[in-house]
Amino acid sequence: QKEVEQNSGPLSVPEGAIASLNCTYSDRGSQSFFWYRQYSGKSPELIMSIYSNGDKEDGRFTAQLNKASQYVSLLIRDSQPSDSATYLCAVNIIPRGGADGLTFGKGTHLIIQP
Amino acid sequence: SQTIHQWPATLVQPVGSPLSLECTVEGTSNPNLYWYRQAAGRGLQLLFYSVGIGQISSEVPQNLSASRPQDRQFILSSKKLLLSDSGFYLCAWSELTNTEAFFGQGTRLTVV
């Protein structure tokens, strides 16, 4: 059974600090990994995608993937109050014969304290 | 650029009434389409996905159904709503299998 686990939080981080969000997944066949940001009452918004082991940087965001440990993380540098949201980790696997939707974690609620 | 439209934004329906939510995608051809539900305090749950017209796969057996009458149109339906059908319904699309998905604005459904 596909599972994606995240600490629900809340994770409280002071403004300007680094926020570190973690995610583990159960399916070793997983090939694609995504981080979404969801503001309260809104739909998820894609922040980062990562497909290979290592780090991927995009502005203040860095995604880290370790397939051997089945672990993916998101670092947010210079955290801003506008980064306060729920961050969803999502995982996909190579489908057998057709498309397969993403499996989401329940999300980590991040609070950036001014 | 690609855009996804989903409506209505909010909906209040009595128990036992029918449901029809619609989603359309612009700017791409033959997208993979998905319906997710997010219940209060719970994660996103995949309900249906489609790789082409008339091709629907269901992830969770329930009183909901989905249809894809046109390439870029995806519809979620129910004949009789239950209280447990309340939630935030999200349509999403992806260009290729195993790639990122993009979400519509969502429909907040309250069954009373």
Side-chain angles (χ1 to χ4, degrees):
Chain A
Q1 184 173 351
K2 298 177 286 184
E3 290 184 354
V4 178
E5 300 290 338
Q6 295 181 257
N7 189 320
S8 61
L11 174 65
S12 185
V13 174
E15 183 176 357
I18 296 175
S20 178
L21 304 165
N22 304 316
C23 171
T24 59
Y25 59 95
S26 62
D27 195 327
R28 287 195 169 273
S30 299
Q31 295 292 320
S32 305
F33 308 86
F34 309 94
W35 283 99
Y36 287 82
R37 177 176 62 199
Q38 186 176 25
Y39 293 114
S40 180
K42 302 296 185 180
S43 62
E45 172 192 14
L46 180 70
I47 297 176
M48 295 281 290
S49 58
I50 187 166
Y51 301 91
S52 304
N53 278 329
D55 294 0
K56 179 181 178 182
E57 186 175 321
D58 184 0
R60 296 187 296 113
F61 299 97
T62 299
Q64 300 174 319
L65 175 61
N66 184 326
K67 289 186 179 180
S69 299
Q70 296 176 242
Y71 178 92
V72 58
S73 64
L74 179 70
L75 301 178
I76 306 175
R77 291 182 300 280
D78 188 25
S79 296
Q80 302 297 311
S82 59
D83 295 327
S84 298
T86 296
Y87 288 80
L88 305 174
C89 175
V91 175
N92 205 342
I93 63 170
I94 296 177
R96 294 182 296 273
D100 194 3
L102 298 174
T103 299
F104 283 83
K106 293 185 178 180
T108 297
H109 183 41
L110 176 65
I111 299 172
I112 307 300
Q113 296 178 321
Chain B
S1 62
Q2 300 90 351
T3 57
I4 179 169
H5 302 280
Q6 186 182 343
W7 66 92
T10 60
L11 192 59
V12 180
Q13 293 284 98
V15 169
S17 64
L19 174 73
S20 181
L21 302 180
E22 188 167 342
C23 168
T24 59
V25 180
E26 297 178 356
T28 186
S29 296
N30 197 32
N32 296 333
L33 296 173
Y34 310 89
W35 279 110
Y36 286 87
R37 177 172 62 198
Q38 189 174 38
R42 300 181 64 180
L44 279 162
Q45 180 185 34
L46 178 65
L47 301 176
F48 301 95
Y49 63 89
S50 172
V51 299
I53 295 174
Q55 300 179 63
I56 309 294
S57 296
S58 173
E59 287 290 305
V60 182
Q62 55 205 321
N63 68 321
L64 299 172
S65 62
S67 62
R68 185 170 178 173
Q70 300 181 42
D71 181 44
R72 290 168 288 176
Q73 183 185 28
F74 206 22
I75 297 172
L76 181 70
S77 303
S78 174
K79 293 182 180 179
K80 289 186 178 181
L81 285 168
L82 307 173
L83 287 174
S84 57
D85 291 324
S86 294
F88 192 36
Y89 287 82
L90 292 153
C91 181
W93 74 274
S94 65
E95 188 155 350
L96 298 171
T97 298
N98 212 31
T99 61
E100 58 267 4
F102 301 94
F103 287 87
Q105 304 93 321
T107 296
R108 189 161 303 280
L109 172 67
T110 304
V111 182
V112 296

